[in-house]
Amino acid sequence: MFAVLILLCLSATVRDSSSLNLNFGANNVIDIFAVSDNDIANNTILTDDDPPPHNQAARMARYITHTSNWGAMATVAVREPIVGFPFANIFSLSDGPVDQSSGTPYMYISPWEVSAHDLRQNNQTSITMSLAQGNYCSKMNYDPEDPRCAHIILTGTFVKLTRESEEGQFAKKSLFSRHPIMPEWPEDHGWFFAKLDIKNILVLDFFGGAVTVPLEEYFNANPK
């Protein structure tokens, strides 16, 4: 009886959460929990190599962008009761296959997503990514808020890509190679590829405050 009650609770939780975040399209416990490690982590970048030196901010920014598999994207909320408030949400990202960094974060998103509603009215957004995703900060005993556990904030505009375009196909290759479960997401959710068209780059990787990295310097930097 106790096990049945737990299963019922889990089923109710999944139904409630799917009404808020439709990225998974889950209708039952199996859809959420029956996912193998290979579905999530295949071809992702989990490196034991140290990041670039903190005085090479452009390289640091490119390194974090390329090694990050997800980020927090902030939008301006359009739904009650938080209209006008900042709203942060987690999204899977990729700037390219493991051997091909572009510096541009690509996303695979459903128009049903809460943040998608915000972006339809205001496509200005910021994405934060951090070294805390990998092994470096824990190895160095750095708290995620420690400046030496570097993080970046990329600000720009959210741009929907045409799936058949050259960039749309690169986004598909970038995301599906790093997140191989994505092609199995429900086809009826209207998934589309998008990118952040970067306008400003902030890097905090050491004491003394964040620095702004010029776009040209960022895109010319070697992420390794």
Side-chain angles (χ1 to χ4, degrees), residues 52-127:
H54 69 83
N55 60 350
Q56 298 183 24
R59 282 189 63 206
M60 179 67 80
R62 284 293 301 273
Y63 177 87
I64 294 174
T65 298
H66 187 53
T67 57
S68 294
N69 295 308
W70 56 270
M73 182 165 65
T75 56
V76 179
V78 297
R79 63 185 179 88
E80 297 289 355
I82 59 168
V83 173
F85 280 76
F87 182 79
N89 203 355
I90 297 297
F91 288 92
S92 297
L93 304 170
S94 175
D95 82 324
V98 293
D99 59 349
Q100 191 178 358
S101 168
S102 72
T104 297
Y106 293 103
M107 291 153 278
Y108 192 49
I109 182 173
S110 166
W112 297 1
E113 236 295 329
V114 175
S115 299
H117 293 276
D118 300 340
L119 292 163
R120 274 198 294 272
Q121 293 200 25
N122 182 351
N123 70 342
Q124 295 174 317
T125 184
S126 291
I127 296 177

Side-chain angles (χ1 to χ4, degrees), residues 6-15 17 24-40 181:
I6 290 177
L7 183 57
L8 288 173
C9 289
L10 283 172
S11 299
T13 300
V14 170
R15 283 197 295 274
S17 64
F24 296 99
N27 294 313
N28 54 57
V29 176
I30 299 300
D31 287 341
I32 291 290
F33 296 105
V35 179
S36 71
D37 290 342
N38 286 335
D39 288 332
I40 298 172
I181 190 63

Side-chain angles (χ1 to χ4, degrees), residues 136-148:
Y136 176 72
C137 296
S138 58
K139 179 178 72 174
M140 301 298 293
N141 199 29
Y142 293 156
D143 185 87
E145 199 171 336
D146 188 316
R148 295 168 296 180

